[in-house]
Amino acid sequence: MARRLQAAAPSPAVPFGANIEFWRERVDLAAAFRWSERLNLHEGVANHFSLAVNPDGTRFLMNPNQTHFARIRASNLLLLDAHNPDTLGEPDAPDPTAWGLHASLHRICPHARCAMHLHTPYATVLASLADSRLPPIDQNSAMFYDRVVIDDSYGGLAFEEEGARCASLFADPKTSVMVMGNHGILVIGESVAETFNRLYYFERAAMTYIMALQTGRELRVLGNDVAARTADEIARYPGQADRHFSEIKSILDREGSDYAN
């Protein structure tokens, strides 16, 4: 009697990009670009994010040169080495100012696993004021109490020398935000979710502050003790940044976005 042939079991589907190095990290970073564009926090084809992928932070992902945030995908992010002096001479070179700022940051500050530089509307207004401090006038602004450094020595585009000077201002690990005077904002964190969450709330806090100034009325500023306690409580709040970012990716996925391609 002829033996009945048994059909081979179908091979499990392999997720797109599973064979590309650091795929999960790429997907997260691509989602951050897409959501920044959604919130109109982008600046055309300028501005840049990076994410360290090795233990000492010197290998990192970054957006390709002159690509609009709305088109960035996980597969087209650049994988760079902060110690490679020939990077800008290679065919797929990054934007020179992005390289100058982010390569310097990942060389000098290994605790800066993720970095996001933007010219967001309200934070850039704050960076344009003679006094660029963000006073703790609400819960969002209190979140950043004693965690912000103000760079008041803008020296032009962030090529390598200027980038290294900016990176040195993050020497204190407690500092997570730099208001770049006459320029914009640079936010760092341990993950894409933490950094994007921080960026989002700093922009919201700056918006509230600028709008409060526009009333011409006296500000209700929190006392130092309350502001410090609030900042510490928010820093310890369980899972908020991860949940925020997970929801962002869920929305993009539901809409059929190609960010994870």
Side-chain angles (χ1 to χ4, degrees):
M1 185 159 94
R3 294 178 60 190
R4 190 173 177 183
L5 295 177
Q6 187 173 18
S11 300
V14 178
F16 182 88
N19 60 337
I20 299 178
E21 202 173 11
F22 309 114
W23 186 249
R24 182 176 298 178
E25 293 89 342
R26 287 173 174 272
V27 168
D28 279 355
L29 197 58
F33 284 114
R34 295 300 185 93
W35 206 253
S36 297
E37 187 274 336
R38 174 77 60 91
L39 299 180
N40 200 30
L41 303 181
H42 65 106
E43 187 97 316
V45 296
N47 295 171
H48 17 85
F49 299 170
S50 64
L51 176 65
V53 293
N54 67 331
D56 71 1
T58 55
R59 293 186 75 205
F60 62 95
L61 298 169
M62 194 167 68
N63 43 313
N65 189 13
Q66 307 296 312
T67 302
H68 198 282
F69 279 19
R71 296 201 317 110
I72 290 176
R73 293 176 287 119
S75 57
N76 65 16
L77 292 170
L78 304 177
L79 178 59
L80 305 173
D81 183 343
H83 290 305
N84 179 6
D86 300 322
T87 295
L88 292 181
E90 294 179 351
D92 201 19
D95 173 78
T97 61
W99 170 254
L101 185 61
H102 291 261
S104 296
L105 188 65
H106 289 299
R107 281 194 303 268
I108 295 170
C109 302
H111 61 277
R113 300 295 298 175
C114 182
M116 298 184 178
H117 169 58
L118 286 171
H119 305 161
T120 59
Y122 288 96
T124 304
V125 171
L126 183 65
S128 304
L129 301 178
D131 182 354
S132 292
R133 290 175 294 179
L134 179 68
I137 61 169
D138 72 332
Q139 184 167 288
N140 285 347
S141 51
M143 173 181 178
F144 299 98
Y145 181 79
D146 201 27
R147 286 161 168 78
V148 178
V149 63
I150 298 169
D151 176 18
D152 57 5
S153 300
Y154 175 73
L157 296 184
F159 298 118
E160 292 209 39
E161 184 176 342
E162 177 72 358
R165 186 192 65 76
C166 291
S168 69
L169 299 178
F170 281 106
D172 182 353
K174 189 176 181 180
T175 300
S176 57
V177 177
M178 179 164 66
V179 175
M180 307 172 78
N182 307 104
H183 189 172
I185 187 175
L186 179 60
V187 182
I188 65 171
E190 294 183 2
S191 66
V192 174
E194 180 182 75
T195 309
F196 184 84
N197 192 66
R198 191 169 281 155
L199 170 71
Y200 174 84
Y201 280 103
F202 191 87
E203 177 66 6
R204 296 282 297 187
M207 178 181 72
T208 298
Y209 176 52
I210 299 304
M211 293 176 70
L213 289 179
Q214 290 173 342
T215 69
R217 304 277 296 276
E218 185 176 356
L219 300 177
R220 187 195 301 254
V221 181
L222 293 171
N224 293 344
D225 290 345
V226 174
R229 182 167 69 249
T230 302
D232 289 341
E233 289 171 345
I234 292 174
R236 294 193 301 267
Y237 200 85
Q240 196 268 345
D242 289 334
R243 288 298 301 273
H244 181 195
F245 201 68
S246 176
E247 286 295 297
I248 287 170
K249 291 195 292 182
S250 293
I251 295 169
L252 290 171
D253 291 340
R254 184 186 64 195
E255 294 174 347
S257 170
D258 65 351
Y259 77 99
N261 288 351

